[in-house]
Amino acid sequence: MKTSCHKQDCTAVNSKLKPAGLLLLFVLMAFYSLQDIPLIYPSYFPVSAYDFKSRPLKRAVIQLGRKLFYDPVLSRSNTISCSSCHQQEHAFSDAGNRLSKGVEDGIGDRNSPAIFNLAWQKTFMWDGSVGNIDVQALAPINHPKEMGEDINAVVRKLNASKAYRTLFYRSFGDSLATAERAMKALSQFQLTIVSANSRYDRVKQGKATFTGKEIKGYELFRKNCNSCHTEPLFSGYGFANNGLPVNPDLKDYGKWNKTMEPQDRLMFKIPSLRNLAYTYPYMHNGRFGTLHEVLDHYEKGIVKSPGLAKELQQPIVFNAEEKEALLTFLATLNDSTLVSDSSFRKPE
C-alpha cells in the first residue's frame, strides 16, 4: 500500500477502504511523516554544524515549516512573510532591494541575506547576533521594521486556524501551536535548502569539466579569494572587516552594534559566493549592484581602519582579462536547480 498520494488519489483509495483499512492507512501516513530523514548533500561538503542527531529532520515538520515560511500570518499586518524577503527565484535573497522591506512600508537596516546551506553555519544575521537557527526567525518577526509582530500573537493566530492545528498535530502529536514548535518547523524547512548542484559541483563530481577560461578564473579565485570564501561552500561563515565605508544614515558597524567590543567594529559575516547571479545587490547594505563594482571596491575602494582583514591590506588588482576569467568562474557557482526546485516552492 502506498503511504503517500495526490489528494484525488487518496480520495479514491479512501472511498474503497473499510474503517480498519482507513485506520491502517492513516497510521502508515503518520509513520511516514514522522520518520527521521537525512539531509542530502555531496560527500565533499564538510560535516554540518547543525546537530541532526539530537534534532533530526521530520517530513511533517518540514512541510509545516514550508507553509509557515510562505505565510504572512507571521507579520503584524498579515502582509509580510519570510518569502517576501527570501525569494526562491533569487536563491532565497531579496534581489533588487538594497535594504529589506517590511510591514507598513518599513525599511530594514540591512540587505536580506540569501538563505541556503544554513546547516553549515553556526551564527546567523549579518552581525552573528543569533547563535541558533532554531530561534533565528524570532529576529525578523519581532523587528519593528520587518514583520513587526509579537511571537505570542503569532501563536494565537496559529491556534485559531483549523488548518494549522491539523499540521501541528501531524508534526508533534498534538494540535497545540507553540513558539518553540513554530520556530523548529521554520528552521527544519530552511535547513533543507541546500545549494549543491551548480556547474562547479558537477565538475567536482566528475560529471563536467571546466573550460580554459573557467580554469584560469578558478586559479585566480584560489589565489585571491579562497581564504575568506572557502570552497566548497565558498564561505567559512566567519566575520571580517572588508573595508567598506560606513553609511552615515545607517551607522552600521556590524558586530560592534551588539557587543560594543572594539575588535568587533565593522565585522560582518562573510557571505557565500554561490548563486551571485541571483542575489544582487551585494554587501550587508546592498551597496553594490554588480560584481564589477565589487571588484572595483577591492581594487581601489578599501577604507583602511583598525581590524581590516589582513588579506585586504593591499588592493586586489586584476586586469580586464583576469576580471573576465574570475567572473566566468564565479558563474559556475550558480545553482539553477535551487531556484526552480518544486519542493521549496510555496505549497498549494
Side-chain angles (χ1 to χ4, degrees), residues 191-213:
L191 285 165
T192 67
I193 303 174
V194 175
S195 181
N197 197 31
S198 65
R199 177 170 167 77
Y200 165 86
D201 295 298
R202 292 192 292 277
V203 171
K204 291 286 287 186
Q205 295 162 12
K207 299 176 181 178
T209 57
F210 284 138
T211 66
K213 184 179 289 187

Side-chain angles (χ1 to χ4, degrees), residues 31-294:
F31 175 75
Y32 174 74
S33 295
L34 291 174
Q35 276 186 304
D36 294 357
I37 60 174
L39 185 70
I40 306 299
Y41 58 89
S43 60
Y44 51 86
F45 269 34
V47 175
S48 67
Y50 189 83
D51 182 8
F52 287 105
K53 288 185 178 179
S54 63
R55 293 169 287 177
L57 296 174
K58 306 281 187 180
R59 197 177 308 276
V61 180
I62 292 168
Q63 292 308 313
L64 170 58
R66 180 182 173 191
K67 180 171 174 60
L68 287 168
F69 184 85
Y70 284 96
D71 197 335
V73 72
L74 300 183
S75 68
R76 183 178 68 241
S77 60
N78 294 317
T79 59
I80 301 295
S81 68
C82 301
S83 64
S84 297
C85 293
H86 300 286
Q87 302 146 22
Q88 182 183 5
E89 61 268 29
H90 298 300
F92 294 94
S93 74
D94 194 13
N97 291 315
R98 291 180 56 249
L99 304 175
S100 59
K101 296 182 178 181
V103 294
E104 298 158 2
D105 298 321
I107 302 296
D109 304 317
R110 291 171 177 155
N111 178 259
S112 296
I115 51 174
F116 54 79
N117 296 345
L118 298 181
W120 289 270
Q121 303 180 37
K122 295 181 179 180
T123 59
F124 305 89
M125 318 296 281
W126 279 104
D127 56 14
S129 56
V130 177
N132 184 347
I133 190 176
D134 290 334
V135 298
Q136 184 278 328
L138 287 172
I141 289 173
N142 291 334
H143 195 292
K145 294 181 181 179
E146 295 186 31
M147 291 180 165
E149 184 59 292
D150 179 89
I151 186 60
N152 295 313
V154 171
V155 170
R156 287 193 293 271
K157 287 188 279 186
L158 296 176
N159 279 312
S161 164
K162 182 178 179 180
Y164 271 115
R165 290 199 304 273
T166 299
L167 290 173
F168 275 89
Y169 180 82
R170 291 175 182 171
S171 299
F172 298 104
D174 68 65
S175 61
L176 181 65
T178 67
E180 181 181 4
R181 288 174 172 180
M183 294 304 99
K184 181 178 181 180
L186 279 166
S187 71
Q188 288 227 338
F189 169 64
Q190 292 176 86
L191 285 165
T192 67
I193 303 174
V194 175
S195 181
N197 197 31
S198 65
R199 177 170 167 77
Y200 165 86
D201 295 298
R202 292 192 292 277
V203 171
K204 291 286 287 186
Q205 295 162 12
K207 299 176 181 178
T209 57
F210 284 138
T211 66
K213 184 179 289 187
E214 289 167 349
I215 291 173
K216 177 64 176 177
Y218 189 21
E219 292 170 350
L220 289 166
F221 165 81
R222 298 185 74 174
K223 180 180 179 181
N224 297 280
C225 315
N226 192 51
S227 58
C228 292
H229 296 283
T230 313
E231 59 178 314
L233 299 172
F234 290 89
S235 176
Y237 297 113
F239 295 81
N241 173 349
N242 70 342
L244 280 178
V246 176
N247 183 317
D249 296 323
L250 298 175
K251 296 182 173 62
D252 191 351
Y253 296 89
K255 291 180 71 176
W256 182 87
N257 284 32
K258 299 290 184 181
T259 68
M260 304 297 284
E261 296 291 340
Q263 67 271 20
D264 290 336
R265 190 177 178 86
L266 297 175
M267 300 292 279
F268 292 92
K269 190 174 181 181
I270 301 169
S272 173
L273 298 184
R274 285 176 172 267
N275 298 306
L276 293 176
Y278 308 115
T279 59
Y280 57 89
Y282 309 106
M283 305 298 177
H284 67 274
N285 53 17
R287 181 182 296 264
F288 302 127
T290 70
L291 292 176
H292 282 284
E293 291 177 311
V294 174

